[in-house]
Amino acid sequence: MKTYPAEPFRIKMVEMPNILTKEERVEAIKAAGYNTFQLKSEDCYIDLLTDSGTNAMSDRQWAGLMLGDEAYAGSRNWAHLEATVKEYYGYKYVVPTHQGRGAENILSQIMCKPGSYVPGNMYFTTTRFHQENNGATFRDVIIDEAHDPEIDLPFKGNIDLKKLQALIDEVGAENIPYVCLAITVNLAGGQPVSMANMRSTYALCQKHGIKVFYDCTRCVENAYFIKIREEGYANKTIKEIVLESFSYSDGATMSGKKDGLVNIGGFLAMNDEGMYIRARELVVVYEGMPSYGGMTGRDMEAFAIGIQESVRFEYIQHRVEQCAYLGDKLIAAGVPVVRPIGGHGVFLDARKFLPHIPQEKFPAQTLAAHLYIESGVRSMERGIVSGGRCKITGKNHAPKLETVRLTIPRRVYTYAHMDIAAEAIIDLYKNRDKIRGLKFVYEPPMLRFFNARFDYCD
Ligand SMILES: *Cc1c(COP(=O)(O)O)cnc(C)c1O
């Protein structure tokens, strides 16, 4: 039988959530318009909405907060963060931002213009928004298998080089400012990209004069998968693998709220000096001085320490294997989930879970609402509601993957919490026939999933 590593930490402080009754939860989700984003955090016993900014910091990071240098310019914590990013990620230049999307905004403004095409290994909501907002067209060049929840591949986040080549032939390399390569691929279920794929993507792009920018939000989880799955990496450290990954790129956007082990923060990094100068011009407009970019001094100190802690093997092993633990339990009970289990959570296959609800009635949204009612576990829709509408036709993007994401915050929950989530999902699966679909009551024009409201169809 597979065994799972015990928590590699001791608990020094605890947080006491409300544990509501089922009747109270029925009222709470109704008041939230059946949108889990609209629930109160304190009403969620086990909050698996996101792994973003929900990390538990270490005692060393909390101590780092006290070293915050809150000067408007030239903070020593920025010097520490900048040096840490250069050492661990290997880039020449770093521009701080308040979180990942701040970096995406600056990168997209510099690189994209009307007529540009930005290929990526599946889209991410805010990333694609900023590309399109600057006139570019996003093109998905991930391998086909990534859109099939059942195909079990070690590196299901890989770019399909034939698709990338076909796009270059179709629109011309001069219209592709950069390839956006996400490690890992969030919406595909936290699927990793192999080192070999990063290397060959970079080689193809260099041949055509196209830059490669990583969305490196979960680069440490990606490195763990490379270590355990890719030939030649078993004896390399996580730190070495992370550094090698970045050597096949020209820059990266980072959300520190994920693998940075902090609650807020991000950066844009690159090797090109001209681009760095341009990014420093823009950062003062949108984020703040290039020595804080929207972060406080103490945030930057905690972030620098978080980057160092994130590459410790026992930390990342427990983090990824804890997700596998939840996934393996569901698989053993026959619950349809995206395979293989990714690095930051478990994705339920809502199409298979609720086959009687068509995609236009939002099966994943419905399932997330019912999981909350059943158990107090908060999850997130990642399907047609998150997909949004096409800017040109106004039609819904109808993604093949219609999922409910159970994302596991880093260093926050124990295996016993995972058991509660698993048991509730298994119960719901047994009683799935009783669940009815939803319709929009309010649909926001942009990034609609955050604030949308729903009600039952009939
Ligand atoms: C969270 C996330 C972002 C955006 O980062 P924020 O810090 O939330 O702005 C970008 N890409 C991916 C893959 C993410 O998961």
PDB file of all heavy atoms in Angstrom, residues 51-52 98-102 104 124 126-127 182 184 186 215 217-218 254-258 265 405, ligand 1:
ATOM      1  N   ASP A  51      -5.408  27.782  -3.238  1.00  0.00           N
ATOM      2  CA  ASP A  51      -4.113  27.688  -2.551  1.00  0.00           C
ATOM      3  C   ASP A  51      -3.377  29.019  -2.688  1.00  0.00           C
ATOM      4  O   ASP A  51      -2.186  29.101  -2.457  1.00  0.00           O
ATOM      5  CB  ASP A  51      -3.271  26.563  -3.167  1.00  0.00           C
ATOM      6  CG  ASP A  51      -2.937  26.831  -4.629  1.00  0.00           C
ATOM      7  OD1 ASP A  51      -3.717  27.517  -5.317  1.00  0.00           O
ATOM      8  OD2 ASP A  51      -1.877  26.379  -5.088  1.00  0.00           O
ATOM      9  N   SER A  52      -4.110  30.063  -3.106  1.00  0.00           N
ATOM     10  CA  SER A  52      -3.479  31.339  -3.408  1.00  0.00           C
ATOM     11  C   SER A  52      -3.553  32.280  -2.217  1.00  0.00           C
ATOM     12  O   SER A  52      -4.640  32.705  -1.832  1.00  0.00           O
ATOM     13  CB  SER A  52      -4.192  31.978  -4.598  1.00  0.00           C
ATOM     14  OG  SER A  52      -3.613  33.223  -4.884  1.00  0.00           O
ATOM     15  N   HIS A  98       2.440  43.649  -6.786  1.00  0.00           N
ATOM     16  CA  HIS A  98       1.656  43.299  -5.590  1.00  0.00           C
ATOM     17  C   HIS A  98       1.236  41.842  -5.609  1.00  0.00           C
ATOM     18  O   HIS A  98       1.081  41.207  -4.580  1.00  0.00           O
ATOM     19  CB  HIS A  98       0.450  44.229  -5.432  1.00  0.00           C
ATOM     20  CG  HIS A  98      -0.692  43.946  -6.356  1.00  0.00           C
ATOM     21  ND1 HIS A  98      -0.658  44.252  -7.699  1.00  0.00           N
ATOM     22  CD2 HIS A  98      -1.896  43.375  -6.133  1.00  0.00           C
ATOM     23  CE1 HIS A  98      -1.802  43.875  -8.250  1.00  0.00           C
ATOM     24  NE2 HIS A  98      -2.564  43.345  -7.325  1.00  0.00           N
ATOM     25  N   GLN A  99       1.022  41.263  -6.798  1.00  0.00           N
ATOM     26  CA  GLN A  99       0.774  39.818  -6.925  1.00  0.00           C
ATOM     27  C   GLN A  99       0.990  39.451  -8.374  1.00  0.00           C
ATOM     28  O   GLN A  99       1.469  40.272  -9.165  1.00  0.00           O
ATOM     29  CB  GLN A  99      -0.608  39.437  -6.386  1.00  0.00           C
ATOM     30  CG  GLN A  99      -1.803  40.099  -7.044  1.00  0.00           C
ATOM     31  CD  GLN A  99      -3.105  39.706  -6.354  1.00  0.00           C
ATOM     32  OE1 GLN A  99      -3.462  40.260  -5.330  1.00  0.00           O
ATOM     33  NE2 GLN A  99      -3.823  38.755  -6.917  1.00  0.00           N
ATOM     34  N   GLY A 100       0.661  38.213  -8.747  1.00  0.00           N
ATOM     35  CA  GLY A 100       0.993  37.729 -10.087  1.00  0.00           C
ATOM     36  C   GLY A 100       0.392  38.556 -11.212  1.00  0.00           C
ATOM     37  O   GLY A 100       1.061  38.869 -12.199  1.00  0.00           O
ATOM     38  N   ARG A 101      -0.876  38.937 -11.071  1.00  0.00           N
ATOM     39  CA  ARG A 101      -1.527  39.647 -12.172  1.00  0.00           C
ATOM     40  C   ARG A 101      -0.927  41.026 -12.415  1.00  0.00           C
ATOM     41  O   ARG A 101      -1.026  41.558 -13.518  1.00  0.00           O
ATOM     42  CB  ARG A 101      -3.044  39.712 -11.949  1.00  0.00           C
ATOM     43  CG  ARG A 101      -3.486  40.584 -10.823  1.00  0.00           C
ATOM     44  CD  ARG A 101      -4.891  40.248 -10.397  1.00  0.00           C
ATOM     45  NE  ARG A 101      -4.964  38.922  -9.787  1.00  0.00           N
ATOM     46  CZ  ARG A 101      -6.084  38.346  -9.374  1.00  0.00           C
ATOM     47  NH1 ARG A 101      -7.233  38.951  -9.521  1.00  0.00           N
ATOM     48  NH2 ARG A 101      -6.062  37.156  -8.809  1.00  0.00           N
ATOM     49  N   GLY A 102      -0.308  41.614 -11.403  1.00  0.00           N
ATOM     50  CA  GLY A 102       0.404  42.881 -11.590  1.00  0.00           C
ATOM     51  C   GLY A 102       1.562  42.681 -12.559  1.00  0.00           C
ATOM     52  O   GLY A 102       1.828  43.520 -13.430  1.00  0.00           O
ATOM     53  N   GLU A 104       1.662  40.233 -14.791  1.00  0.00           N
ATOM     54  CA  GLU A 104       1.063  39.910 -16.099  1.00  0.00           C
ATOM     55  C   GLU A 104       0.655  41.185 -16.835  1.00  0.00           C
ATOM     56  O   GLU A 104       0.827  41.289 -18.052  1.00  0.00           O
ATOM     57  CB  GLU A 104      -0.190  39.040 -15.893  1.00  0.00           C
ATOM     58  CG  GLU A 104       0.135  37.649 -15.365  1.00  0.00           C
ATOM     59  CD  GLU A 104      -1.101  36.909 -14.864  1.00  0.00           C
ATOM     60  OE1 GLU A 104      -2.194  37.519 -14.791  1.00  0.00           O
ATOM     61  OE2 GLU A 104      -0.970  35.708 -14.557  1.00  0.00           O
ATOM     62  N   PHE A 124      -4.768  30.755 -18.361  1.00  0.00           N
ATOM     63  CA  PHE A 124      -5.177  31.073 -17.001  1.00  0.00           C
ATOM     64  C   PHE A 124      -5.980  32.368 -17.064  1.00  0.00           C
ATOM     65  O   PHE A 124      -5.682  33.250 -17.871  1.00  0.00           O
ATOM     66  CB  PHE A 124      -3.992  31.202 -16.037  1.00  0.00           C
ATOM     67  CG  PHE A 124      -4.468  31.428 -14.632  1.00  0.00           C
ATOM     68  CD1 PHE A 124      -5.032  30.396 -13.906  1.00  0.00           C
ATOM     69  CD2 PHE A 124      -4.424  32.696 -14.059  1.00  0.00           C
ATOM     70  CE1 PHE A 124      -5.558  30.606 -12.639  1.00  0.00           C
ATOM     71  CE2 PHE A 124      -4.942  32.915 -12.788  1.00  0.00           C
ATOM     72  CZ  PHE A 124      -5.499  31.865 -12.073  1.00  0.00           C
ATOM     73  N   THR A 126      -6.549  35.340 -15.371  1.00  0.00           N
ATOM     74  CA  THR A 126      -6.008  36.704 -15.371  1.00  0.00           C
ATOM     75  C   THR A 126      -4.927  36.869 -16.440  1.00  0.00           C
ATOM     76  O   THR A 126      -4.797  37.946 -17.038  1.00  0.00           O
ATOM     77  CB  THR A 126      -5.419  37.075 -13.993  1.00  0.00           C
ATOM     78  OG1 THR A 126      -4.397  36.127 -13.658  1.00  0.00           O
ATOM     79  CG2 THR A 126      -6.486  37.074 -12.915  1.00  0.00           C
ATOM     80  N   THR A 127      -4.170  35.813 -16.691  1.00  0.00           N
ATOM     81  CA  THR A 127      -3.091  35.874 -17.691  1.00  0.00           C
ATOM     82  C   THR A 127      -3.682  36.177 -19.064  1.00  0.00           C
ATOM     83  O   THR A 127      -3.236  37.086 -19.773  1.00  0.00           O
ATOM     84  CB  THR A 127      -2.342  34.522 -17.736  1.00  0.00           C
ATOM     85  OG1 THR A 127      -2.181  34.032 -16.411  1.00  0.00           O
ATOM     86  CG2 THR A 127      -0.997  34.656 -18.406  1.00  0.00           C
ATOM     87  N   ALA A 182       3.252  27.864 -18.695  1.00  0.00           N
ATOM     88  CA  ALA A 182       2.899  27.789 -17.268  1.00  0.00           C
ATOM     89  C   ALA A 182       3.462  26.517 -16.649  1.00  0.00           C
ATOM     90  O   ALA A 182       3.332  25.433 -17.204  1.00  0.00           O
ATOM     91  CB  ALA A 182       1.388  27.817 -17.103  1.00  0.00           C
ATOM     92  N   THR A 184       3.272  24.781 -12.856  1.00  0.00           N
ATOM     93  CA  THR A 184       2.475  23.754 -13.524  1.00  0.00           C
ATOM     94  C   THR A 184       1.254  24.396 -14.208  1.00  0.00           C
ATOM     95  O   THR A 184       1.085  25.607 -14.098  1.00  0.00           O
ATOM     96  CB  THR A 184       1.909  22.736 -12.481  1.00  0.00           C
ATOM     97  OG1 THR A 184       1.119  23.479 -11.523  1.00  0.00           O
ATOM     98  CG2 THR A 184       3.025  22.062 -11.690  1.00  0.00           C
ATOM     99  N   ASN A 186      -2.346  25.149 -14.037  1.00  0.00           N
ATOM    100  CA  ASN A 186      -3.413  25.215 -13.040  1.00  0.00           C
ATOM    101  C   ASN A 186      -4.711  24.599 -13.562  1.00  0.00           C
ATOM    102  O   ASN A 186      -5.237  23.636 -12.984  1.00  0.00           O
ATOM    103  CB  ASN A 186      -3.595  26.697 -12.665  1.00  0.00           C
ATOM    104  CG  ASN A 186      -4.551  26.909 -11.515  1.00  0.00           C
ATOM    105  OD1 ASN A 186      -5.290  26.020 -11.121  1.00  0.00           O
ATOM    106  ND2 ASN A 186      -4.533  28.101 -10.958  1.00  0.00           N
ATOM    107  N   ASP A 215       4.892  31.402 -16.705  1.00  0.00           N
ATOM    108  CA  ASP A 215       4.047  31.711 -15.568  1.00  0.00           C
ATOM    109  C   ASP A 215       4.528  30.701 -14.525  1.00  0.00           C
ATOM    110  O   ASP A 215       4.152  29.532 -14.559  1.00  0.00           O
ATOM    111  CB  ASP A 215       2.579  31.497 -15.937  1.00  0.00           C
ATOM    112  CG  ASP A 215       1.661  31.700 -14.739  1.00  0.00           C
ATOM    113  OD1 ASP A 215       2.170  31.694 -13.596  1.00  0.00           O
ATOM    114  OD2 ASP A 215       0.444  31.845 -14.943  1.00  0.00           O
ATOM    115  N   THR A 217       4.266  30.447 -11.284  1.00  0.00           N
ATOM    116  CA  THR A 217       3.533  30.439 -10.033  1.00  0.00           C
ATOM    117  C   THR A 217       3.725  29.174  -9.180  1.00  0.00           C
ATOM    118  O   THR A 217       3.817  29.243  -7.979  1.00  0.00           O
ATOM    119  CB  THR A 217       2.052  30.667 -10.416  1.00  0.00           C
ATOM    120  OG1 THR A 217       1.973  31.957 -10.980  1.00  0.00           O
ATOM    121  CG2 THR A 217       1.116  30.545  -9.289  1.00  0.00           C
ATOM    122  N   ARG A 218       3.802  28.007  -9.836  1.00  0.00           N
ATOM    123  CA  ARG A 218       3.967  26.750  -9.082  1.00  0.00           C
ATOM    124  C   ARG A 218       5.210  25.985  -9.539  1.00  0.00           C
ATOM    125  O   ARG A 218       5.204  24.776  -9.713  1.00  0.00           O
ATOM    126  CB  ARG A 218       2.691  25.894  -9.199  1.00  0.00           C
ATOM    127  CG  ARG A 218       1.487  26.560  -8.526  1.00  0.00           C
ATOM    128  CD  ARG A 218       0.236  25.704  -8.547  1.00  0.00           C
ATOM    129  NE  ARG A 218      -0.882  26.412  -7.926  1.00  0.00           N
ATOM    130  CZ  ARG A 218      -1.621  27.336  -8.534  1.00  0.00           C
ATOM    131  NH1 ARG A 218      -1.383  27.638  -9.787  1.00  0.00           N
ATOM    132  NH2 ARG A 218      -2.593  27.948  -7.880  1.00  0.00           N
ATOM    133  N   MET A 254       5.468  35.805 -11.597  1.00  0.00           N
ATOM    134  CA  MET A 254       5.347  34.955 -10.411  1.00  0.00           C
ATOM    135  C   MET A 254       4.282  35.497  -9.469  1.00  0.00           C
ATOM    136  O   MET A 254       4.262  36.690  -9.180  1.00  0.00           O
ATOM    137  CB  MET A 254       6.695  34.921  -9.683  1.00  0.00           C
ATOM    138  CG  MET A 254       6.677  34.210  -8.332  1.00  0.00           C
ATOM    139  SD  MET A 254       6.455  32.424  -8.550  1.00  0.00           S
ATOM    140  CE  MET A 254       6.620  31.835  -6.860  1.00  0.00           C
ATOM    141  N   SER A 255       3.430  34.598  -9.010  1.00  0.00           N
ATOM    142  CA  SER A 255       2.528  34.920  -7.917  1.00  0.00           C
ATOM    143  C   SER A 255       3.125  34.315  -6.654  1.00  0.00           C
ATOM    144  O   SER A 255       3.115  33.097  -6.487  1.00  0.00           O
ATOM    145  CB  SER A 255       1.136  34.336  -8.190  1.00  0.00           C
ATOM    146  OG  SER A 255       0.353  34.427  -7.017  1.00  0.00           O
ATOM    147  N   GLY A 256       3.633  35.150  -5.774  1.00  0.00           N
ATOM    148  CA  GLY A 256       4.228  34.654  -4.533  1.00  0.00           C
ATOM    149  C   GLY A 256       3.221  33.981  -3.627  1.00  0.00           C
ATOM    150  O   GLY A 256       3.576  33.240  -2.713  1.00  0.00           O
ATOM    151  N   LYS A 257       1.928  34.215  -3.920  1.00  0.00           N
ATOM    152  CA  LYS A 257       0.855  33.671  -3.100  1.00  0.00           C
ATOM    153  C   LYS A 257       0.736  32.156  -3.210  1.00  0.00           C
ATOM    154  O   LYS A 257      -0.011  31.540  -2.477  1.00  0.00           O
ATOM    155  CB  LYS A 257      -0.469  34.315  -3.524  1.00  0.00           C
ATOM    156  CG  LYS A 257      -0.426  35.831  -3.425  1.00  0.00           C
ATOM    157  CD  LYS A 257      -1.653  36.486  -4.005  1.00  0.00           C
ATOM    158  CE  LYS A 257      -2.836  36.255  -3.112  1.00  0.00           C
ATOM    159  NZ  LYS A 257      -3.997  37.090  -3.530  1.00  0.00           N
ATOM    160  N   LYS A 258       1.425  31.571  -4.161  1.00  0.00           N
ATOM    161  CA  LYS A 258       1.422  30.116  -4.308  1.00  0.00           C
ATOM    162  C   LYS A 258       2.765  29.580  -3.798  1.00  0.00           C
ATOM    163  O   LYS A 258       2.981  29.536  -2.601  1.00  0.00           O
ATOM    164  CB  LYS A 258       1.165  29.722  -5.771  1.00  0.00           C
ATOM    165  CG  LYS A 258      -0.275  29.817  -6.209  1.00  0.00           C
ATOM    166  CD  LYS A 258      -0.758  31.220  -6.391  1.00  0.00           C
ATOM    167  CE  LYS A 258      -2.084  31.332  -7.094  1.00  0.00           C
ATOM    168  NZ  LYS A 258      -2.050  32.191  -8.266  1.00  0.00           N
ATOM    169  N   GLY A 265       2.041  39.032  -2.766  1.00  0.00           N
ATOM    170  CA  GLY A 265       3.328  39.348  -3.384  1.00  0.00           C
ATOM    171  C   GLY A 265       3.494  38.712  -4.746  1.00  0.00           C
ATOM    172  O   GLY A 265       2.775  37.774  -5.107  1.00  0.00           O
ATOM    173  N   ARG A 405     -12.593  22.439  -8.354  1.00  0.00           N
ATOM    174  CA  ARG A 405     -11.220  22.378  -7.866  1.00  0.00           C
ATOM    175  C   ARG A 405     -11.201  22.389  -6.346  1.00  0.00           C
ATOM    176  O   ARG A 405     -11.760  23.298  -5.724  1.00  0.00           O
ATOM    177  CB  ARG A 405     -10.470  23.591  -8.417  1.00  0.00           C
ATOM    178  CG  ARG A 405      -8.997  23.531  -8.224  1.00  0.00           C
ATOM    179  CD  ARG A 405      -8.355  24.768  -8.780  1.00  0.00           C
ATOM    180  NE  ARG A 405      -8.454  25.870  -7.817  1.00  0.00           N
ATOM    181  CZ  ARG A 405      -7.822  27.033  -7.959  1.00  0.00           C
ATOM    182  NH1 ARG A 405      -7.088  27.265  -9.032  1.00  0.00           N
ATOM    183  NH2 ARG A 405      -7.946  27.964  -7.047  1.00  0.00           N
TER     184      ARG A 405
HETATM  185  C1  LIG B   1      -2.835  32.694  -9.246  1.00  0.00           C
HETATM  186  C2  LIG B   1      -2.317  32.581 -10.597  1.00  0.00           C
HETATM  187  C3  LIG B   1      -1.977  33.728 -11.345  1.00  0.00           C
HETATM  188  C4  LIG B   1      -2.257  35.135 -10.872  1.00  0.00           C
HETATM  189  O1  LIG B   1      -1.621  35.442  -9.693  1.00  0.00           O
HETATM  190  P1  LIG B   1      -2.275  36.395  -8.570  1.00  0.00           P
HETATM  191  O2  LIG B   1      -1.204  36.470  -7.541  1.00  0.00           O
HETATM  192  O3  LIG B   1      -3.515  35.717  -8.095  1.00  0.00           O
HETATM  193  O4  LIG B   1      -2.559  37.700  -9.208  1.00  0.00           O
HETATM  194  C5  LIG B   1      -1.417  33.525 -12.586  1.00  0.00           C
HETATM  195  N1  LIG B   1      -1.238  32.300 -13.076  1.00  0.00           N
HETATM  196  C6  LIG B   1      -1.559  31.188 -12.415  1.00  0.00           C
HETATM  197  C7  LIG B   1      -1.315  29.851 -13.013  1.00  0.00           C
HETATM  198  C8  LIG B   1      -2.126  31.290 -11.154  1.00  0.00           C
HETATM  199  O5  LIG B   1      -2.471  30.183 -10.503  1.00  0.00           O
END
